[in-house]
Amino acid sequence: MSVHFSSKTFEWATPQDFFDELKKEFNFDLDPCATKYNAKCKNYFTKEDNGLEKDWGGYCVFMNPPYGRYISNWIHKAWQESKKPNTTVVCLLPARTDTRWFHNYCIKERVQIRFLQGRLKFGGSKNSAPFPSMLVIFKG
């Protein structure tokens, strides 16, 4: 059971085919949680850039944040930034409906939740993730 609650990394690279389908719907133009190797958009922030301190206003953002203890900071930022004009933030998150961050930010007006059927295979892995995923869409 411990495999469901631990990981050797907090970074789970978004499957490219999954992202491509979402991009058709949302036309993303900012990835605030990227590395130079896995950025999904032309505009992106790396760990060194610290996307938590940057302005996301006016962008359609795709966010797959680090899933560790600071995930709530990223979700709070997504929620805040989505209040800005012409800003949408689509978050790929572990489906953890029992967490404080889920209840504090994801269950709000103008927030859409899409639970994903099955489990994603992150980063080209042959194995599925040890947790279910969801999309949380913050739209101001």
Side-chain angles (χ1 to χ4, degrees):
M1 205 50 187
S2 65
V3 69
H4 294 283
F5 303 103
S6 67
S7 173
K8 292 181 182 178
T9 179
F10 295 122
E11 296 175 3
W12 295 80
T14 305
Q16 190 63 48
D17 58 339
F18 177 77
F19 176 80
D20 292 343
E21 284 301 310
L22 284 175
K23 185 163 182 166
K24 288 177 190 174
E25 179 180 354
F26 292 100
N27 196 29
F28 299 114
D29 53 8
L30 177 64
D31 180 350
C33 304
T35 70
K36 65 181 181 178
Y37 305 107
N38 71 8
K40 298 295 183 198
C41 301
K42 181 181 176 183
N43 300 303
Y44 65 91
F45 302 131
T46 64
K47 186 177 184 177
E48 293 75 27
D49 296 324
N50 192 356
L52 288 172
E53 294 181 0
K54 301 292 185 183
D55 182 10
W56 305 357
Y59 286 100
C60 186
V61 179
F62 174 75
M63 184 180 86
N64 178 6
Y67 288 0
R69 93 175 40 200
Y70 298 107
I71 192 170
S72 62
N73 296 4
W74 288 101
I75 310 238
H76 178 257
K77 174 73 171 177
W79 176 72
Q80 275 187 314
E81 291 292 318
S82 73
K83 294 178 181 181
K84 296 178 178 177
N86 303 311
T87 306
T88 298
V89 184
V90 178
C91 308
L92 175 58
L93 303 170
R96 299 214 168 102
T97 59
D98 59 334
T99 60
R100 187 173 295 142
W101 57 259
F102 181 82
H103 288 272
N104 287 345
Y105 303 111
C106 300
I107 304 176
K108 300 277 188 188
E109 285 185 43
R110 298 185 313 271
V111 175
Q112 180 185 35
I113 300 170
R114 298 180 191 174
F115 293 100
L116 304 182
Q117 185 175 2
R119 297 196 178 188
L120 293 175
K121 292 182 179 177
F122 287 90
S125 174
K126 292 181 182 180
N127 298 317
S128 298
F131 51 83
S133 298
M134 65 183 171
L135 291 175
V136 176
I137 302 160
F138 295 99
K139 197 167 189 167

